[in-house]
Amino acid sequence: MSYEVDFKNVSTIGLESSPNAEALAGLRANEARYFWNKYKIHFVTEPAAEKPELIAYVNAILSERDLHFAAKPLEVSQNIVDGVKWTHVFYEDGLGINVLYTEAVGGKRAVGIKLSDGMDVPAELVGKFKFAHQKSKLAGVIRGSFFVIKGEY
């Protein structure tokens, strides 16, 4: 069942099994606010189990950096705006992955990695990335990093 993320009244719907449910809900709401403010698009997520093709797509891109997360994907979202495909995966441990993939040749293509406030850095990321810190009213302190996608997907 899909869920339209409300960034004014943050809810843990769909994220209840996460030990970082509140912080992860804030991270998801932060993404929803971004899409509303920039594009006037509602951010809608779906249970990851209902969209295995999105998980496979993100996993294929993550494999460029030999990243395979042990955490269970809880929710996914995909939006195509102005020729850019945005795919998000929210994991049970509090990790958020977003793939920005411009469909035009030569466009921006990157993976964003975001850690919910209070979560430990996943073992898969330790020593591989440096994380910048950003304060958010919705999500507390978000630690984030990114890498550029080299392949075609």
Side-chain angles (χ1 to χ4, degrees):
M1 174 182 220
S2 62
Y3 171 66
E4 184 177 312
V5 179
D6 183 348
F7 58 87
K8 293 181 181 170
N9 299 300
V10 179
S11 171
T12 60
I13 290 172
L15 307 173
E16 298 89 353
S17 67
S18 173
N20 297 305
E22 293 291 330
L24 185 56
L27 180 64
R28 180 180 65 180
N30 191 63
E31 296 293 337
R33 182 178 57 197
Y34 172 82
F35 275 88
W36 180 254
N37 289 340
K38 183 151 177 99
Y39 302 112
K40 299 298 183 234
I41 292 175
H42 295 283
F43 191 78
V44 177
T45 60
E46 297 182 62
E50 292 179 11
K51 294 290 186 175
E53 69 279 6
L54 292 183
I55 298 300
Y57 169 72
V58 170
N59 285 342
I61 293 169
L62 292 173
S63 69
E64 278 192 3
R65 292 291 182 106
D66 199 29
L67 294 175
H68 307 280
F69 295 108
K72 176 183 174 186
L74 296 178
E75 288 199 322
V76 296
S77 176
Q78 189 171 73
N79 294 290
I80 299 174
V81 186
D82 298 333
V84 179
K85 184 175 5 179
W86 296 83
T87 307
H88 290 78
V89 180
F90 299 96
Y91 293 86
E92 192 169 44
D93 63 354
L95 175 68
I97 297 288
N98 67 289
V99 175
L100 173 153
Y101 193 88
T102 302
E103 294 173 333
V105 175
K108 291 182 182 179
R109 297 176 177 174
V111 173
I113 302 167
K114 296 181 180 174
L115 308 179
S116 294
D117 195 8
M119 79 171 280
D120 292 331
V121 175
E124 299 90 342
L125 300 175
V126 172
K128 291 185 177 183
F129 295 93
K130 291 185 180 186
F131 291 91
H133 295 71
Q134 169 191 353
K135 286 191 176 193
S136 164
K137 282 191 220 180
L138 297 171
V141 176
I142 300 170
R143 290 165 290 156
S145 192
F146 77 98
F147 66 88
V148 174
I149 298 169
K150 297 190 185 318
E152 299 285 325
Y153 298 93

